[in-house]
Amino acid sequence: MYAAISHDSGDDLVAVEEPLEIRVGGRPLAVTMRTPGHDEELALGFLYGEGLIDGVRPVGLTADLAKNTLEVAGPLVRDPGERHFYTTSSCGVCGKGAIDEVAVHSAPLPDGPWLDRALLAQLPSRLAQPAFERTGGVHATGLFDAQGELLLGREDVGRHNAMDKVIGRALIDGLLPLHDFVLCVSGRLSFELVQKAAVAGAPFLVGVGAPSSLANELAADRGVTLCGFARGTTINVYSHPERVVRADARGRVTPPRGA
């Protein structure tokens, strides 16, 4: 995950960024710029988030052992058309996909769970980010349970790649849909991250930074509780605040009336 480079004051460790080609059934489908590691999870999470697979698929090296290339078993559950995906490490498939398209691939979310506001505000501080501590150049996504325990964390130069790796691992482990879990990211909340959370069935998406206007619109439409500026003691809830409650003195959470 790391490479050493020199600068005018010494040496630095930086995060590696390399392309990964994803093939399905022998056909090249997508190229993403990513930090190597957990590539099988990345491939499965990406395909699941695009509505192209609906379960775990065999994934591994290609027959020609091409570098930075993975093969996922077909067939796809829908035709992606002639469009090929190319995603950068900064923004995912920029501008791709409308809210109506996301709705086709994401089932309705449950009313709950109901989580303590203070707990949600603390989640970013509980993210495991060893690569960021060494390089300062990667994003992180964590999967938390309703008690705020970190179950799974991944880092990558691409925020959407870190999310795909977590969702891919959850898919392999049989945790999808993520109805009882919280996804938390280390940066801003983009449209693509909300899209992936909604398709994975996550009712909560928490971030350190701000949401974009389209991210907020999509979260409201798909029933995702979107929380930004989570800074330890404070948090902003942008959509579906009915899931966010305050625990009592004993730390117990009570669903709102009528829930």
Side-chain angles (χ1 to χ4, degrees):
M1 294 182 66
Y2 312 109
I5 63 172
S6 298
H7 56 85
D8 59 358
S9 300
D11 299 318
D12 272 342
L13 277 181
V14 297
V16 171
E17 182 177 23
E18 293 181 349
L20 175 69
E21 179 180 290
I22 300 172
R23 300 179 186 174
V24 180
R27 177 188 176 189
L29 179 72
V31 175
T32 184
M33 301 301 296
R34 95 305 186 197
T35 299
H38 307 289
D39 286 341
E40 292 83 0
E41 298 171 357
L42 171 58
L44 292 176
F46 169 77
L47 294 172
Y48 190 90
E50 293 294 332
L52 297 174
I53 61 174
D54 56 6
V56 179
R57 298 288 182 87
V59 55
L61 297 177
T62 59
D64 58 1
L65 300 179
K67 183 181 179 181
N68 287 329
T69 305
L70 282 179
E71 175 84 22
V72 179
L76 300 174
V77 299
R78 69 179 180 91
D79 184 1
E82 293 303 316
R83 176 176 59 84
H84 285 234
F85 299 90
Y86 178 83
T87 73
T88 70
S89 58
S90 60
C91 62
V93 189
C94 298
K96 178 218 154 273
I99 289 177
D100 289 344
E101 182 180 345
V102 178
V104 172
H105 308 297
S106 60
L109 295 175
D111 292 336
W114 297 273
L115 299 184
D116 178 37
R117 187 183 190 97
L119 175 64
L120 291 170
Q122 296 169 11
L123 293 185
S125 65
R126 302 183 183 187
L127 277 173
Q129 301 184 68
F132 179 81
E133 291 173 2
R134 298 188 70 178
T135 68
V138 293
H139 299 275
T141 294
L143 181 68
F144 292 84
D145 65 17
Q147 289 70 50
E149 179 182 352
L150 179 64
L151 305 177
L152 176 64
R154 293 289 184 264
E155 294 178 281
D156 198 279
V157 290
R159 57 174 58 86
H160 51 89
N161 290 337
M163 175 76 78
D164 282 338
K165 289 177 179 181
V166 166
I167 292 174
R169 184 71 250 172
L171 180 65
I172 293 169
D173 292 343
L175 298 178
L176 296 182
L178 299 175
H179 288 169
D180 298 320
F181 303 96
V182 179
L183 286 168
C184 178
V185 299
S186 61
R188 63 181 177 86
L189 297 158
S190 65
F191 171 83
E192 279 88 0
L193 295 183
V194 177
Q195 169 193 330
K196 294 173 185 298
V199 174
F204 284 88
L205 177 58
V206 178
V208 174
S212 69
S213 61
L214 191 57
N216 187 59
E217 185 179 349
L218 178 60
D221 180 83
R222 302 315 304 155
V224 176
T225 298
L226 188 65
C227 305
F229 292 107
R231 304 292 172 86
T233 58
T234 59
I235 192 170
N236 295 346
V237 182
Y238 292 93
S239 62
H240 294 278
E242 64 275 5
R243 293 193 185 97
V244 181
V245 298
R246 295 188 184 276
D248 62 20
R250 297 183 179 180
R252 296 175 301 189
V253 171
T254 302
R257 291 182 180 179

